[in-house]
Amino acid sequence: MKKKLGTRTWVLLSAAALLLLLSACSSGETESKEVIEKSGTRITVMDNQADSVYTRLKLERIDKIEGVRGMDWASEDSIVVSQENKAIPAEIWDGQKHYPQNLYLYDLSSGQQKPLKEGKDNLGGALLSPDKTYVFYKAGYESSGIGYIMNLATGDTVKTGEGEIAMGEGNWSDNTHVLYSEFPPAAGKVVSVDADGKSEPAMLTEAKYVANVVQSGTKIYFTAEEDSRLITYDTQTKTSEVLGTGVMWVIPSPDGSRLAVQKRVAPGKVTLSVTDGAGNELSTVYSGFQIFGTSWSPDGSKLAYSTSSENGNENRLFITEVETNEQTPISDEMQASDQLRWSPSGKKLLGSTTVWKGEAYQFITYVITLS
């Protein structure tokens, strides 16, 4: 029988699960900080007084919200978060109380939140459908969980199936379908589930260790086998093609014309490249120790990502203009635990991380406003 995931374990595994690469230039920036109380939540607002590397993008402010884990945008002014539910009795692990992480809709203007899904299970991995009608999430165990799809308007929820899904797996392929590889990845099974809970095999493949499954148009991209080969499967022609090896993650641009590809090229060294849809490299965005959270802007013109140095003492967040490869430094204190998420307008960026505070890890959410 599987042991349900305690809050501390969920944080540690989630922080290690996602996402991508980069390291970059130092900015020499200075910040002024203002701490305010907003609806009972302590927020640190950091105003960046330094000039950007290029002038088309300006950092307006960063709102730092403690105690919640921001996951995705429900609208331009509201986000889905997970937070401890202290109304439910805590479980005692290693002599400490652990409350379940539940899902809430957080209003950025008022600081108020309302429950989306509460209960004794730890809930996370929330991801909104492109049209913001449904939310896909997981009820977590030690390294995987059972998937669910909720209709935001009605609250109706369906299970994606009995098969488990690894943390970090599961993406919307359109407004009503979620695509994922079943856990453990050695099964090599890729499933598509609609908003009514009906599932079917998404593709025909003999590959094992399938992971990082994502669809763009008629193409499904995934990594497989021990050499981490990147494979694309055409759902129309039913054919597969290997695009490269040593690939850790791949993220298609919104229009599917380009890919952001993270590769491990040597021990302690990764690269982040932009390729065309066939895997031909167009540019190298980063080469260094580690990158997390890489995300395309809605118009496909920018990549946001956070970086970490080898000793872990330097964690930074950048936005790169893809056409020119110019970088804008955003923060020097944030390492993304999850994929960074752009708001629908592309004017805000959502990120979350964890910090050790006292005797436990605490979630921190960043809402970055750009112009």
Side-chain angles (χ1 to χ4, degrees):
M1 183 175 180
K2 287 206 172 193
K3 184 178 182 182
K4 288 187 179 179
L5 188 64
T7 300
R8 180 177 176 182
T9 309
W10 177 271
V11 173
L12 288 169
L13 290 173
S14 297
L18 295 181
L19 225 64
L20 266 77
L21 41 312
L22 253 97
S23 162
C25 58
S26 62
S27 64
E29 63 186 87
T30 59
E31 293 177 341
S32 62
K33 301 185 179 182
E34 175 189 2
V35 179
I36 61 175
E37 294 292 331
K38 186 174 184 180
S39 301
T41 302
R42 187 172 183 270
I43 301 177
T44 304
V45 179
M46 296 174 286
D47 295 317
N48 187 349
Q49 298 176 337
D51 291 333
S52 296
V53 175
Y54 57 99
T55 59
R56 284 170 290 178
L57 180 68
K58 292 291 185 181
L59 172 62
E60 294 294 332
R61 58 186 282 134
I62 300 177
D63 293 331
K64 180 180 175 182
I65 311 171
E66 298 183 353
V68 302
R69 180 180 186 177
M71 294 185 172
D72 201 4
W73 296 88
S75 69
E76 191 67 20
D77 297 307
S78 62
I79 57 177
V80 174
V81 304
S82 69
Q83 185 175 1
E84 285 186 338
N85 185 349
K86 294 188 176 180
I88 295 177
E91 294 184 1
I92 306 299
W93 290 49
D94 300 325
Q96 295 183 352
K97 291 183 178 180
H98 295 283
Y99 295 93
Q101 295 284 331
N102 288 172
L103 297 179
Y104 301 86
L105 190 64
Y106 188 100
D107 186 288
L108 294 173
S109 299
S110 66
Q112 299 296 314
Q113 57 189 34
K114 64 179 183 179
L116 281 180
K117 189 69 174 181
E118 294 182 308
K120 61 182 180 179
D121 293 327
N122 283 298
L123 308 177
L127 185 61
L128 275 291
S129 60
D131 63 0
K132 309 300 182 184
T133 299
Y134 301 96
V135 59
F136 165 69
Y137 66 92
K138 305 180 192 78
Y141 297 99
E142 291 169 346
S143 57
S144 61
I146 299 295
Y148 294 87
I149 297 175
M150 175 193 292
N151 184 314
L152 285 177
T154 65
D156 294 338
T157 302
V158 297
K159 186 186 292 187
T160 60
E162 299 302 325
E164 296 178 21
I165 308 170
M167 284 190 299
E169 292 290 325
N171 288 285
W172 290 93
S173 56
D174 56 32
N175 287 325
T176 56
H177 291 81
V178 172
L179 190 70
Y180 61 88
S181 59
E182 283 196 354
F183 185 85
K189 184 178 180 182
V190 178
V191 179
S192 178
V193 181
D194 67 18
D196 295 322
K198 181 182 177 181
S199 65
E200 61 182 6
M203 64 182 185
L204 302 174
T205 177
E206 296 180 357
K208 304 299 181 182
Y209 307 104
V210 173
N212 308 314
V213 182
V214 62
Q215 184 168 351
S216 178
T218 63
K219 300 291 185 66
I220 297 176
Y221 298 91
F222 60 98
T223 57
E225 312 299 353
E226 294 181 355
D227 60 356
S228 298
R229 65 188 64 174
L230 174 60
I231 301 174
T232 178
Y233 176 83
D234 192 306
T235 58
Q236 289 184 330
T237 64
K238 313 298 183 186
T239 58
S240 300
E241 182 181 0
V242 177
L243 303 184
T245 59
V247 175
M248 302 171 67
W249 302 96
V250 59
I251 304 176
S253 63
D255 66 0
S257 64
R258 291 173 292 184
L259 306 173
V261 178
Q262 176 181 343
K263 297 180 67 174
R264 184 167 298 283
V265 295
K269 184 176 182 180
V270 297
T271 61
L272 176 64
S273 301
V274 174
T275 76
D276 61 20
N280 300 306
E281 186 171 317
L282 302 175
S283 64
T284 298
V285 179
Y286 169 79
S287 178
F289 181 69
Q290 204 166 36
I291 297 179
F292 302 91
T294 302
S295 180
W296 290 93
S297 62
D299 64 1
S301 67
K302 303 174 185 67
L303 281 171
Y305 48 87
S306 69
T307 72
S308 179
S309 60
E310 187 171 2
N311 60 16
N313 293 330
E314 183 178 301
N315 300 306
R316 311 188 69 195
L317 189 149
F318 295 91
I319 295 176
T320 288
E321 187 81 16
V322 175
E323 292 299 327
T324 63
N325 226 28
E326 293 176 301
Q327 294 173 321
T328 296
I330 300 297
S331 170
D332 62 359
E333 67 173 52
M334 178 182 171
Q335 181 185 50
S337 297
D338 305 302
Q339 186 173 359
L340 297 162
R341 302 287 178 188
W342 294 83
S343 69
S345 70
K347 295 180 179 180
K348 297 177 183 177
L349 194 62
L350 176 66
S352 64
T353 191
T354 57
V355 296
W356 183 257
K357 192 170 185 178
E359 298 182 347
Y361 280 95
Q362 176 180 284
F363 295 118
I364 296 178
T365 291
Y366 296 86
V367 179
I368 300 162
T369 302
L370 308 165
S371 65

